Amino acid sequence: MNIDAPRIGVIGAGVVGLTVADILQKTSKANVTVMADGFGEDTVSAVAAGIFRPGTTFRGPTKEITKKWINDSWHYWQDILKSSEANHAGIFSFNCYVYSTQSYQATRNRLIEDLVPYYKEMTEDELRIAGGEQKYGSCFSTVKIGCDNYLPWTEKRLKRNGVRIVREKVESFESVKKKYDLVFNCTGLGARYLCDDENVVPIRGQIAKVKAPWLKASFYSDYADTYIIPGIDGVATLGGVRNYDSYNKKFNKHDAAAILERCYTLLPPLRKALVVGHRVGLRPHRDIVRVEPEILGDLKVVHCYGHGGYGVTTAPGTALHAVSIGMDLLRTKHKL
């Protein structure tokens, strides 16, 4: 530990918090500590399907900033994908097919159509081959970030490179102000209480896990948030539900039955797949994702939370922005 270096705390060990810590460790000489009361499987990130597919409910303060966050995230994930660590990090590439019975616009993703290497509107022949009642479709190349791999992989590297990992529930900023020169708040839904931010709202999600090693692409339908996403370990994620302002973390058998039936209808071969589990998580949604500084007395804070269902997709872009803000706050006191 460099006793002359700034002391930086990161609150939260989900995909956003660990990515912020990773960027800090790589780009500064600071002494970094990650504090959280939940790690790995105890985080909502571990429930996420992890596909890079930002949606229209993900918004920054401006369209330009939102697009930059998405673009920066894509390139961050691509750098890992192209490295020898891709498998260890749980990152792999595949094609995604988005279908609709209503309109082409329901399948179009303007946020990434100029970013990913392959993006096209599906032809009538391609839709006919796909079968079912789908009348419109888009196909594009993307990646999955499996947090069951990415979180422990990142945590291990952080520890190896001198970052402290502490199991601690931070109840207030007052409790950490004497320990750190700068704190990053990456608490997701916890920010509703830590910051008294009622703009953070839980959106309940439930998914099923099935063994489908033959699945090499992902599929979406505009009917009731239906999606099918492959896994690097051959276990696919089937979803889903979006229950706004719900704090219910209990498994719901009716949701499970509906998810499975919708996914079976979208991709009939899944009926033969073995169901190996179900997961429930609360997505931390905020109308505008909060990435901004705040001075609380003597403590400098940078907030980075409210990503909703797109935390895995956009964690790197928002983390890079947050770290840049934090470094600006410190430069007046520390030479980095």
Side-chain angles (χ1 to χ4, degrees), residues 31 34 42 52 60 80 109 114 145 187 193 250 261 273 277 302 307 326:
N31 296 317
V34 176
D42 294 329
F52 185 92
I80 299 177
N109 194 317
D114 64 343
I145 305 95
T187 54
Y193 313 103
K250 293 183 178 180
E261 187 55 38
V302 179
H307 299 65

Side-chain angles (χ1 to χ4, degrees), residues 3 20 50 65 118 179 248 266 277:
I3 60 174
V20 165
I65 289 175
Y118 175 78
K179 299 178 182 178
N248 180 14
L266 181 59

Side-chain angles (χ1 to χ4, degrees), residues 117-134:
Y118 175 78
Y119 192 105
K120 63 166 291 194
E121 178 180 0
M122 295 179 69
T123 66
E124 290 185 5
D125 286 342
E126 289 170 329
L127 289 165
R128 192 177 303 113
I129 293 172
E133 300 178 356
Q134 312 300 339

Side-chain angles (χ1 to χ4, degrees), residues 180-202:
Y180 303 102
D181 303 297
L182 172 67
V183 166
F184 287 86
N185 171 26
C186 307
T187 54
L189 188 59
R192 182 176 175 89
Y193 313 103
L194 184 62
C195 305
D196 194 25
D197 187 351
E198 294 185 355
N199 292 314
V200 186
V201 179

Side-chain angles (χ1 to χ4, degrees), residues 8-293:
I8 298 179
V10 178
I11 310 174
V15 64
V16 177
L18 290 189
T19 303
V20 165
D22 193 40
I23 293 169
L24 284 168
Q25 181 271 314
K26 291 175 179 175
T27 60
S28 77
K29 298 177 182 178
N31 296 317
V32 180
T33 300
V34 176
M35 301 163 282
D37 61 342
F39 292 85
E41 289 296 310
D42 294 329
T43 67
V44 70
S45 299
V47 183
I51 187 173
F52 185 92
R53 182 179 177 261
T56 54
T57 59
F58 175 82
R59 284 196 295 272
T62 67
K63 289 183 178 180
E64 292 74 22
I65 289 175
T66 302
K67 191 66 168 71
K68 179 171 173 52
W69 286 347
I70 291 168
N71 289 4
D72 287 349
S73 295
W74 172 260
H75 295 303
Y76 187 96
W77 295 130
Q78 287 295 304
D79 286 345
I80 299 177
L81 179 67
K82 295 171 184 176
S83 75
S84 61
E85 291 292 301
N87 284 340
H88 297 296
I91 299 177
F92 65 103
S93 60
F94 51 86
N95 283 345
C96 180
Y97 298 87
V98 184
Y99 298 117
S100 174
T101 59
Q102 303 299 317
S103 72
Y104 169 64
Q105 294 305 319
T107 75
R108 187 177 180 183
N109 194 317
R110 297 175 185 270
L111 293 169
I112 63 171
E113 62 184 3
D114 64 343
L115 175 64
V116 297
Y118 175 78
Y119 192 105
K120 63 166 291 194
E121 178 180 0
M122 295 179 69
T123 66
E124 290 185 5
D125 286 342
E126 289 170 329
L127 289 165
R128 192 177 303 113
I129 293 172
E133 300 178 356
Q134 312 300 339
K135 297 180 180 179
Y136 308 93
S138 292
C139 175
F140 55 90
S141 55
T142 189
V143 297
K144 169 171 172 143
I145 305 95
C147 279
D148 47 353
N149 289 81
Y150 176 74
L151 295 179
W153 174 76
T154 304
E155 187 178 332
K156 182 178 179 180
R157 290 186 307 112
L158 290 174
K159 290 179 178 178
R160 186 171 64 238
N161 291 314
V163 173
R164 293 179 64 237
I165 307 291
V166 179
R167 185 173 290 274
E168 174 185 349
K169 183 174 179 59
V170 177
E171 301 281 1
S172 68
F173 291 113
E174 181 73 17
S175 67
V176 298
K177 72 176 185 179
K178 294 183 179 179
K179 299 178 182 178
Y180 303 102
D181 303 297
L182 172 67
V183 166
F184 287 86
N185 171 26
C186 307
T187 54
L189 188 59
R192 182 176 175 89
Y193 313 103
L194 184 62
C195 305
D196 194 25
D197 187 351
E198 294 185 355
N199 292 314
V200 186
V201 179
I203 299 181
R204 179 182 178 275
Q206 181 170 313
I207 52 92
K209 294 284 190 178
V210 304
K211 283 191 176 180
W214 47 268
L215 185 66
K216 304 300 180 184
S218 64
F219 300 88
Y220 279 77
S221 167
D222 60 1
Y223 176 63
D225 196 34
T226 302
Y227 54 87
I228 302 163
I229 300 171
I232 198 169
D233 57 355
V235 177
T237 300
L238 312 187
V241 297
R242 292 181 184 270
N243 303 139
Y244 185 82
D245 202 18
S246 170
Y247 290 83
N248 180 14
K249 297 176 70 172
K250 293 183 178 180
F251 165 75
N252 185 301
K253 65 179 182 181
H254 304 293
D255 284 341
I259 288 168
L260 292 173
E261 187 55 38
R262 294 199 310 268
C263 291
Y264 293 161
T265 300
L266 181 59
L267 193 64
L270 285 173
R271 291 186 183 275
K272 298 181 180 180
L274 176 66
V275 178
V276 295
H278 301 270
R279 298 293 303 277
V280 176
L282 304 181
R283 308 171 179 101
H285 172 75
R286 197 173 188 271
D287 286 343
I288 297 178
V289 179
R290 191 181 186 190
V291 181
E292 62 183 16

